Amino acid sequence: MDCRVFAAQVEPTLGNLSANLELHLGEIDAAVKAQADVVLFPELSLSGYFLKDQTAEVALALDAPALEKIAHRSRDISIGLGFVEQGRDGRRFNSWAYFEDGELLHVHRKVHLVTYGMFDEGRDFAAGESIQSFETRHGRFGVLICEDMWHVGASWIHFLANVDALIVPSAGPGRGVNEERPELRSHRVWYTLQDAFALLYQTWIVYVNRVGSEDGVFFAGGSRVVDPNGREIARLEGLEPGRLEARLSGEALRRARVATPLRRDEKPWIVARELARLRDGGAA
């Protein structure tokens, strides 16, 4: 693994697919000019987030013309982006797609929909039912859309699959003021989670969050890259659109995993056995 990633911290226009497609194409051009290998966009970057009754209007089948344009551009650079997926069975999903060499390589459907606080994703989306990693020409990737990362099992599955990088596209809001540091409390919580998972699962983490505001909620940005030792490599400051570039290396993965062979010593069969026991009523 040795690649240059370009995280596009964008501000989509709610419900405007044509404007957002042009925004993506412009960021892709910038990433190609920067000689990046991969360009990554946030959760629901093609549509905006608080869609409500617009959800059906912006939903795209996997062979939609807008996604075909993105696929064509992936001949120049690998591309990951968020969109509303229109399933063949009529369900719609909060999805994130990865394109490479002119083809759609992988789609992750958000498994853990947010249905608390200001969020009600279960109203508009069906939940995904699969957490699978995938091979790219830059390494083995796993995707966790925002809330997915807050459920330890999702990240652990990718750890067992020996991913080189966790890609975390998000539409994370800003909350609270950190009295100890010049940052939002929501940033500190996210960063703590990312640092811990990078260290425990010995993987690169690329967090790409959006900015802007919708429905009275502002999105906090703060996109960043963390190495397999839990150390921050790069971060975007502020609450404005921006571009983050970083190099992910296989050598950093190798050093971390040789120093502390956590995956070698993991015992997932014990977890499977205990889960079966709990399923069958073994809990007190």
Side-chain angles (χ1 to χ4, degrees), residues 218-261:
F218 81 92
F219 300 94
S223 301
R224 71 200 291 258
V225 176
V226 184
D227 79 3
N229 292 299
R231 295 189 295 244
E232 180 179 274
I233 299 302
R235 184 204 306 186
L236 277 175
E237 303 286 356
L239 304 175
E240 302 298 326
R243 297 161 178 169
L244 183 67
E245 299 177 45
R247 176 174 170 260
L248 312 187
S249 75
E251 180 60 19
L253 289 170
R254 188 192 69 80
R255 289 198 304 267
R257 294 170 180 180
V258 167
T260 313

Side-chain angles (χ1 to χ4, degrees), residues 178-246:
N178 191 330
E179 297 176 357
E180 299 177 357
R181 305 184 185 187
E183 62 186 3
L184 296 171
R185 288 181 183 172
S186 53
H187 278 160
R188 177 47 39 199
V189 171
W190 262 112
Y191 298 165
T192 300
L193 185 68
Q194 293 158 19
D195 294 348
F197 279 17
L199 180 63
L200 286 173
Y201 299 141
Q202 299 176 317
T203 182
W204 288 93
I205 291 181
V206 182
Y207 173 67
V208 52
N209 194 21
R210 62 158 292 179
V211 292
S213 62
E214 293 174 4
D215 204 22
V217 175
F218 81 92
F219 300 94
S223 301
R224 71 200 291 258
V225 176
V226 184
D227 79 3
N229 292 299
R231 295 189 295 244
E232 180 179 274
I233 299 302
R235 184 204 306 186
L236 277 175
E237 303 286 356
L239 304 175
E240 302 298 326
R243 297 161 178 169
L244 183 67
E245 299 177 45

